[in-house]
């Protein structure tokens, strides 16, 4: 009888722990994203957005002109929704906002300042 109780308790423990793991939320946006802004007066702009979760909020930097070794700009604010983000930062004295939404597991699409199309692709992770 004790063996049966132990087996039942073990099975319940396994089921409960697997249920907890299934409910854990992955942090979809916390990653590096290769972004392209299309059709600006200076042509298409390539950027790298590096986002990470700190103390429950997303934070990060945007590096424009990564081919030319551009400087990282701090993102001053990030507004999060379930499947969308708005990034706010200052570039060359201008307040800039980029809004993107999730298209699939590795792609985002949206606009910069509501005028220029933006596409973002999750940066490939280097295998160690």
């Amino acid at each position: 009888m004790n063996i049966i109780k132990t087996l039942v308790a073990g099975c319940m423990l396994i089921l409960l722990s697997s249920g907890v793991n299934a409910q854990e939320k992955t942090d979809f946006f916390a990653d590096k994203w290769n972004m392209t802004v299309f059709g600006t007066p200076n042509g298409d702009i390539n950027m790298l957005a590096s986002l990470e979760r700190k103390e429950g909020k997303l934070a990060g930097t945007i590096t424009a002109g990564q081919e030319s070794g551009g400087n990282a700009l701090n993102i001053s604010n990030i507004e999060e929704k379930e499947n969308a983000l708005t990034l706010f930062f200052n570039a060359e004295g201008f307040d800039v906002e980029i809004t993107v939404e999730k298209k699939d597991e590795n792609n985002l699409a949206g606009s910069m300042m509501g005028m220029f199309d933006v596409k973002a692709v999750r940066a490939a992770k280097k295998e160690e």
Side-chain angles (χ1 to χ4, degrees):
M1 191 66 149
N2 283 339
I3 294 175
I4 293 174
K5 287 182 182 178
T6 304
L7 286 174
V8 170
C11 289
M12 293 295 285
L13 184 61
I14 290 170
L15 288 174
L16 288 174
S17 65
S18 66
V20 169
N21 288 337
Q23 293 176 4
E24 288 180 10
K25 183 181 176 186
T26 59
D27 201 344
F28 176 79
F29 291 109
D31 210 341
K32 292 186 183 219
W33 296 90
N34 291 315
M35 301 180 113
T36 304
V37 181
F38 297 96
T40 75
N42 295 327
D44 297 346
I45 299 171
N46 294 313
M47 300 184 288
L48 177 67
S50 300
L51 306 176
E52 61 183 335
R53 189 148 314 265
K54 293 182 179 179
E55 300 175 5
K57 292 189 73 176
L58 277 177
T61 59
I62 289 208
T63 305
Q66 45 200 12
E67 301 85 14
S68 61
N71 293 327
L73 303 171
N74 287 325
I75 298 171
S76 58
N77 188 30
I78 299 176
E79 292 179 0
E80 290 183 75
K81 294 183 181 171
E82 185 175 342
N83 290 314
L85 287 179
T86 302
L87 311 173
F88 298 90
F89 59 98
N90 188 287
E92 298 182 17
F94 294 97
D95 291 328
V96 179
E97 91 179 43
I98 295 177
T99 301
V100 290
E101 61 183 49
K102 178 179 177 180
K103 292 301 175 190
D104 61 36
E105 291 306 307
N106 293 308
N107 293 283
L108 308 173
S111 68
M112 182 174 78
M113 307 299 291
M115 295 184 288
F116 306 105
D117 290 337
V118 175
K119 291 192 179 181
V121 177
R122 190 182 305 273
K125 295 182 180 179
K126 294 179 183 177
E127 294 190 28
E128 298 178 35

